[in-house]
């Protein structure tokens, strides 16, 4: 049985496809993200309506992150927490890691939402670069000794960033130990985890 809800969703999606011309407009506010994708894994864009924003179409744009960037320590994908991170057991803890991808959305001005994960054993550092230009540079706040859950998301924002389609997106991240959480014969290291989806929200046209 076809429900009214299904028909409404189909109508909204059809209207979107009919009106979208590859540009960002007020009528088609797009929320898009670059997400981690395995090299051999093929994915199609997943379309669904966000409950909190029933009139906005949410588009997931899977993109391949290169986790082995020349000049940086290799990174890995933490499947449990769905985050990119540094293996501090196998990799140097005093060297930056990096992950790169290509911006596949239309050229325009975007507000960027970046999510790192907080860890009690260290306050890791992050840099986000768009086309080689640094647009974000921060260190996670300390949660040791506070009533804050491990791996709680921490959001950083960069507004009004002009991005051209095809531009390189690079995240650089550094593990850290605050020397407060004993582990083995030393202290634990936070692995500089960050969510592999970066949200790019197009700004409204003037």
């Amino acid at each position: 049985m076809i429900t009214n809800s299904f028909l409404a969703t189909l109508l909204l999606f059809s209207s979107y496809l009919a009106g979208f011309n590859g540009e960002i407009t007020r009528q088609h506010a797009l929320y898009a993200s670059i997400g981690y994708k395995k090299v051999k894994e093929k994915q199609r864009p997943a379309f669904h309506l966000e409950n909190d924003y029933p009139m906005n179409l949410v588009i997931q744009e899977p993109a391949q992150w290169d986790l082995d960037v020349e000049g940086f320590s290799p990174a890995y994908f933490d499947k449990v927490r769905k985050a990119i991170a540094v293996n501090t057991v196998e990799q140097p803890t005093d060297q930056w890691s990096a992950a790169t991808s290509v911006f596949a959305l239309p050229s325009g001005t975007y507000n960027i939402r970046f999510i790192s994960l907080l860890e009690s054993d260290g306050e890791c550092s992050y840099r986000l670069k768009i086309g080689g230009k640094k647009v974000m540079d921060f260190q996670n706040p300390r949660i040791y000794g506070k009533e804050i859950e491990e791996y709680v998301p921490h959001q950083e924002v960069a507004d009004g960033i002009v991005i051209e389609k095809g531009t390189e997106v690079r995240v650089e991240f550094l593990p850290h130990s605050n020397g407060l959480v004993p582990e083995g014969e030393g202290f634990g290291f936070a692995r500089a985890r960050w969510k592999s989806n970066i949200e790019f929200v197009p700004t409204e046209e003037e």
Side-chain angles (χ1 to χ4, degrees), residues 75-89:
Y76 77 101
F77 183 67
D78 182 343
K79 295 180 180 179
V80 175
R81 299 168 185 87
K82 296 181 179 179
I84 293 175
V86 182
N87 187 335
T88 55
V89 176

Side-chain angles (χ1 to χ4, degrees), residues 95-160:
Q95 295 182 16
W96 288 80
S97 291
T100 61
S101 187
V102 175
F103 190 76
L105 301 175
S107 301
T109 303
Y110 290 82
N111 297 332
I112 303 174
R113 307 289 182 264
F114 180 91
I115 302 292
S116 64
L117 302 184
L118 303 183
E119 303 179 55
S120 60
D121 46 7
E123 297 75 51
C124 301
S125 297
Y126 302 83
R127 299 189 294 234
L128 173 62
K129 295 182 178 180
I130 306 293
K133 179 182 178 180
K134 186 166 57 180
V135 300
M136 196 176 290
D137 188 349
F138 71 95
Q139 183 176 15
N140 274 347
R142 177 169 295 182
I143 64 170
Y144 178 84
K146 300 180 181 179
E147 295 183 358
I148 300 177
E149 293 183 5
E150 198 79 6
Y151 309 119
V152 66
H154 172 75
Q155 179 175 268
E156 291 285 333
V157 176
D159 289 337

Side-chain angles (χ1 to χ4, degrees), residues 4-201:
N4 291 335
S5 176
F6 175 80
L7 289 175
T9 301
L10 182 61
L11 179 60
L12 177 60
F13 180 60
S14 299
S15 299
Y16 169 81
L17 291 180
F20 181 61
N21 60 2
E23 298 179 354
I24 302 165
T25 67
R26 293 177 185 271
Q27 291 77 18
H28 303 98
L30 303 181
Y31 287 80
S33 62
I34 288 181
Y36 169 83
K37 179 185 176 185
K38 293 181 180 178
V39 174
K40 297 183 179 179
E41 182 178 338
K42 295 182 178 179
Q43 302 180 21
R44 294 180 179 178
F47 297 86
H48 64 277
L49 292 177
E50 192 71 64
N51 293 332
D52 293 338
Y53 304 96
M55 298 306 294
N56 291 332
L57 190 64
V58 178
I59 300 180
Q60 298 293 334
E61 293 281 357
Q64 177 183 318
W65 283 101
D66 181 1
L67 304 183
D68 192 4
V69 180
E70 184 177 358
F72 294 85
S73 290
Y76 77 101
F77 183 67
D78 182 343
K79 295 180 180 179
V80 175
R81 299 168 185 87
K82 296 181 179 179
I84 293 175
V86 182
N87 187 335
T88 55
V89 176
E90 299 179 357
Q91 302 300 329
T93 55
D94 60 347
Q95 295 182 16
W96 288 80
S97 291
T100 61
S101 187
V102 175
F103 190 76
L105 301 175
S107 301
T109 303
Y110 290 82
N111 297 332
I112 303 174
R113 307 289 182 264
F114 180 91
I115 302 292
S116 64
L117 302 184
L118 303 183
E119 303 179 55
S120 60
D121 46 7
E123 297 75 51
C124 301
S125 297
Y126 302 83
R127 299 189 294 234
L128 173 62
K129 295 182 178 180
I130 306 293
K133 179 182 178 180
K134 186 166 57 180
V135 300
M136 196 176 290
D137 188 349
F138 71 95
Q139 183 176 15
N140 274 347
R142 177 169 295 182
I143 64 170
Y144 178 84
K146 300 180 181 179
E147 295 183 358
I148 300 177
E149 293 183 5
E150 198 79 6
Y151 309 119
V152 66
H154 172 75
Q155 179 175 268
E156 291 285 333
V157 176
D159 289 337
I161 306 301
V162 177
I163 312 176
E164 297 291 329
K165 183 176 181 179
T167 297
E168 182 189 74
V169 177
R170 173 180 293 193
V171 180
E172 300 173 357
F173 41 109
L174 180 69
H176 179 260
S177 175
N178 53 28
L180 297 173
V181 180
E183 184 176 293
E185 298 180 356
F187 295 93
F189 273 81
R191 296 193 173 198
R193 292 176 172 89
W194 53 280
K195 301 298 287 185
S196 57
N197 288 339
I198 300 177
E199 186 179 16
F200 294 87
V201 183

